[in-house]
Structure formats: C-alpha cells, structure tokens
Amino acid sequence: MDKLTIIYITLAAITALLLALFQYLYKSKLKSNLKYVLTGLRTISIFCILLLLINPKFESFTYFDEKTTLVIAVDDSESVSYLKQDEKAREVVAALQTNSELKDRFDIQAYSFGKSVSTLDSLNFNERQSNLALALKQFGEVYANQTAPIIVLSDGNQTYGSDYSYIAKGVKQPIYPIILGDSTVHSDLSIKQLNVNRYVYLKNKFPVEIIANYRGNEPINTELKIWSGNVVVFRKVLQLDALKSSEIISTALMANSVGVKTYRVELVALENEKNKVNNVKNFGVEVIDQKTNIALVYDRLHPDLGAFKKAIESNEQRSVSILKPKDVINKINDFQLVILYQPNNNFNSVLKEIKEQKINTFIISGETTSWNLLNQTRDYFKQTITNQTENFQPSLNRNYGTFIVENLDFNSFPPLKSEFGALDILVPHETLLYKSVNGITTEDILLATFEADGTKHAILNGEDIWRWRAQSFINTNSFNNFDEFINKLVQYLSSNKKRKRINIDYKSFYNGNDDVIISAQYFNKTFEFDNSASLSIVLNNKDDESIREVPLLLNNGNYTVDLSGINAGLYDFTIKHNSESISASGSFQILEYNVEQQFLNADITKLKSIAANSNGSAYFPSQTTELINRLLSDNRYKTIQKSTKNIVPLVDWKYLLGLIALSLFIEWFIRKYNGLI
C-alpha cells in the first residue's frame, strides 16, 4: 500500500470521527454514556463507507517450489531392436523413472518418438522411421522458457526429417544422449543412395544412379548387380578400400513394356559381413506410353505462369508448353488440355478453335481479362462486369466431389485478385473454392469445374496463385501438397473418362517405408457426396493369396484407410459399398525395403557432438548411474522457490459491507429502543 493511500485512510478516520462527534456530542442533547456508543457506531459506518470510496489495495504473496523439468525421449524405432538394444533401453528408462532422488529433484516428463512424438506409454520399438530432429525441435519450443535438460535414448540413426545435429543448435537446453548401439566398427557394404525417376516412357532408356558405400580398412572387391526378376540386366565390379570408401555407379535401363516394373540392386556381400540387409535395395518405375501435353496460353508475363508449369510438371507424366495465342493455333490438336491465362482480345481465334475442336479448357482470369470477349464466346458462364477488382481469399467447399481434395490449408493462403461481381455458370457445375472476404464465405465462385458438350472445363476467377504455392512451402517446407492439388485438377480436365460414384486416390507403387494411404469418395445417385456411407476395402495379396477386409473411415471429407506396415508384395484391392452393389478396383505394389535395418552401429560421433554443443554429456546404458549423479549434482537444476503476488482491492472484501450494515443496524436499533427516533 503506497503512502498516499495511507494518508487518505488517516484523513478518512479523522473525518469519520469528527462527523460522529459533531452529531452526537456537539449537536445532541444526550446526557448518558449512550452517546459514546452511538458515536463509535457512527464513526465505524462513516469510516467504512469512506474506505470503499478510497478502495485501497492489499498485496499478498504465495510461495511455492518449482522443480526443474527433466525430459526423457526414447527412440521407439525398429533400428533399436534390430541393433539388439531394446531391453537395455527399457532398463535405462525404468531406472530413470523409478529413481527416488530424481523424482524428488525433477518433474520427469517421458516421451517416445518415431516419425512423430508422443507421450511415453509403452515401448514396442516398431516405428518404421525415426525423426530425432522433430523431437528436439518440439522440446525446444515447449520448454523454451524454463530449464529442462533432455535425455535422449537413441542410436542416432535418423531416417526422416532434417539433420538433428543442426536442429539441436537451436535448442537452448542441455542434451544428454544415452547411446544405444555397438561402438565396434565392422566391415560393411551398403547401398547408401539410389536415384531413379518414378515415371519412364515406353521404348526409352531411363537413368539409374547408385551410391555404394564401404566401411572398413582392408581393400575389397565386390560386384554390383541390378536384377529384373531372375535376370541380371546390369553388373559392375567394384574395388573399394579405406581411402576410396564409396563409388557412384550410373547406368541406363530400357523400358520395354507398359506398367509398373520392379528391380533389385544387390552388392555381393563380403565374407563374414554382419549386416547384409543394407546390401540390397528394391526400386520401381512406372512405364507409360505417352505424356499428357498441356498448352499454357498467355499474352501477359506473370509469375503465375512459372508456378503452373512447375506444379504441373512435378508429375513427370505431364509436359507444359507456354505459348502465345498466335503460336498455339496450328498445333492445338497436340494438346489434351489448354490453359488460357487471362484471355484478352488476342485470344479470339484460339477460343473459336477450342470450341470447334471440343478441347478441354482451364481459364484463369485476372486484371487484364477481357470478360466481354469471354461472355460473348463462352455459352457456359457469364461474369458481371464492374471493371473493378477485389482481393478474395479461398474457402474450400467440403462437399466438392469431382475429385479428392486434401492436405491444403486454404485458410492460410493469401488472397487472389479477382473481378468484383458475380460469376454465374449456366450449366451443371461444382464449386471447389468460394470467395471469402474478411473471414466471411460468400456464394461467389473462385474456382469451379463443369462439363458441357462432352468436354471438361474449369475456371479460376483470380490471379496471383503463385503466392499459394509459396505459402504451401512456408506451411510444410515442401511444394508437394500444392503441386498435387493442381495435378489432380489437371488430371480431371485432361481425361475424358466418365464420372464414377466411387473415386479412389492411390499410387501405383510404394517404397517399403512409405505411408500407404488410400482415399475414396462416394456419391449418391444424384452425384452428391454422401458422408454417411459404409465403405470397406477388400485387399488381396497376390503373392500368398491372403485376403483381408478393412473399413474406411471418414476423414476431412474423404473416406481413407491407412495400410502402412503391410508386407511387401503385389496387391489387388476393391473398395465397395457395404449395402449397395457399387465398387471400384485397383492394384498397387509395395517394394521390399526397411530403412531402419540399414544401420550396423550407432552414430556415436553425431550424438556426442550434440551433447558437447549443448553443455551436456553423452553416456552409454552402462553409465546410467553416472548420468543420474551428474544431474543430481548440477547446480543448474536446483529447485527454485517462486512467489505469486495477489493484489486484492478492498471493494472485493464482502465482510466490509457486512460491517457497515451491522453498525448502521445496531445504531438504528439503539436509537429506536431509547425513543430517539
């Protein structure tokens, strides 16, 4: 309470006393001692009322002890069990969690990590990938404002994500790795990396690049072979030693038939080589007979052109030619889809040719679009012309059902510049994106698709979509999600297949550690998306003829099933409705590969470096007691006494109101009883 408030309270007490004395001693004619009682009661009443007007604030302090947080992060991936360190890991975790001194000194928080991080429940060591960088990044963010040493139980062999030694530099916490693995160096051959395109073209050669690696001191001879089935299609003798520990092998193979083709790369194992799993790696390519050719017609340079070309050509099955209107006329039949970027009067001949040849189109409008021309030459839509532009953000229509849309956070995307006014599509259509202004979704179309006269069309009513591609990279550190969205739109527009009531989305083949997720959409007889359907997938393994049926779950507007972890092999599948005779079929192949079994030793050097750089220390499981003693003796982790200051204004003190009411009542009662009222 400050000095000024104390002065006010003193003045209030004097004022209350003087007023009471004036009323009962100076003005009153009472002769008995009763006047002193009434003076006291009136003084109390007036003083309490004045206190409420002054409203002084009282401070109180609550003290408590805060323990240092101790984070235990356990690598739950398959590589730990493959290196026979799973039991040691469990023993170390138990020793840390049950140590009474540690529990008294620290608030212990235990986590496990594989591809993602979760609270530690049980350790199974069955995660197919490990991402230590993600774990360190999340711990650094969660415990940024406190001291929280991090104990990491891992072999240091990361198979997914950024380099954890780089991420660890941004974590402002001491890191104590417990190294799970053998430090003994064994001679080992491995296929370090294999580079190949996913799609190749019939009767063309496709490049294959292989990096072979050797760990050891003695010179060795080995042979690299590439198998197609039971036939060796390439072989090369390699000579490696301690100085020349790796070699890049490049070759080109011929694609002789259409479909998914699988190959096996093999390094002939050394005598007494301990780990032979990493000597073999499978890969696949999908052989296609032709590319989808797309014309991107423009009359004005804009960053959108490059964004569309990059996104579409991220799928190697597609080729984009950027052309002026006059250059596309004579070869328009070479293209399965024509993208018209901001058509103006120079597009008149192109629009007429497209209409005559019945070619699928994708129109992107913007500031320089001639809506007069489009309204006159296109019978499918009409745009209200205002000659004014506005910025509109996208709002996804979750009921859109022409193809599956997922993995994009449209709410975070910047606005597109569009004509101010309604776009009316005069034929049956589906709106994929609505215009949104200040977070309010309108009924105006931003992106829609429709079919008319046996052709397919889409219209994007806005420019600057290059900003969306950039924002997608900011959100996910990858262009993949945006590129997949554009490619699904292009795939729909460039295909003349009839619409089906069940649409499915999957890849023709998956590498062994890929997530195998199949998505589907189901539509009723009027082609409206049905979110109450009961769908299941019947999966047939062609290698052993085993059959299993799994239900599909509704997730973000799509029915999905996660088949990750199933055995490698060739699979046929059918997605069916459980109460209607409607189904859709496909097939895919999973290639044999387990990235967690590619390691022979723990990465001791990297784990020790992150410990040294963070003022921590690295230990082996046998040194757990030393680690515990180090943590208990480190003065950085002492329990801290903290206080909480509470400021309470007097007006919140309900007993004061009771005191005022009580004193006034007693005064009134005494006066009434003695006939003074």
Side-chain angles (χ1 to χ4, degrees), residues 85 105 167 183 213 295 321 323 370 501 504 524 563 577 609:
Q85 298 293 312
R105 180 76 173 274
I167 298 296
S183 60
N213 193 53
S321 300
L323 302 167
S370 173
R501 288 181 58 187
I504 52 178
N524 59 25
L563 301 174
H577 193 285
S609 71

Side-chain angles (χ1 to χ4, degrees), residues 386-452:
T386 62
N387 294 321
Q388 296 180 10
T389 59
E390 182 65 83
N391 290 327
F392 296 99
Q393 284 191 285
S395 178
L396 178 64
N397 176 17
R398 290 291 179 187
N399 294 320
Y400 181 80
T402 302
F403 54 85
I404 296 174
V405 180
E406 56 188 354
N407 296 329
L408 277 180
D409 180 14
F410 286 101
N411 293 330
S412 69
F413 282 7
L416 300 186
K417 191 175 294 184
S418 176
E419 180 81 8
F420 182 78
L423 172 65
D424 294 323
I425 299 180
L426 308 176
V427 296
H429 65 280
E430 281 203 76
T431 302
L432 198 161
L433 297 172
Y434 289 106
K435 291 180 178 178
S436 175
V437 182
N438 296 326
I440 301 173
T441 301
T442 69
E443 295 297 320
D444 292 339
I445 295 170
L446 184 63
L447 175 59
T449 58
F450 58 92
E451 300 181 19

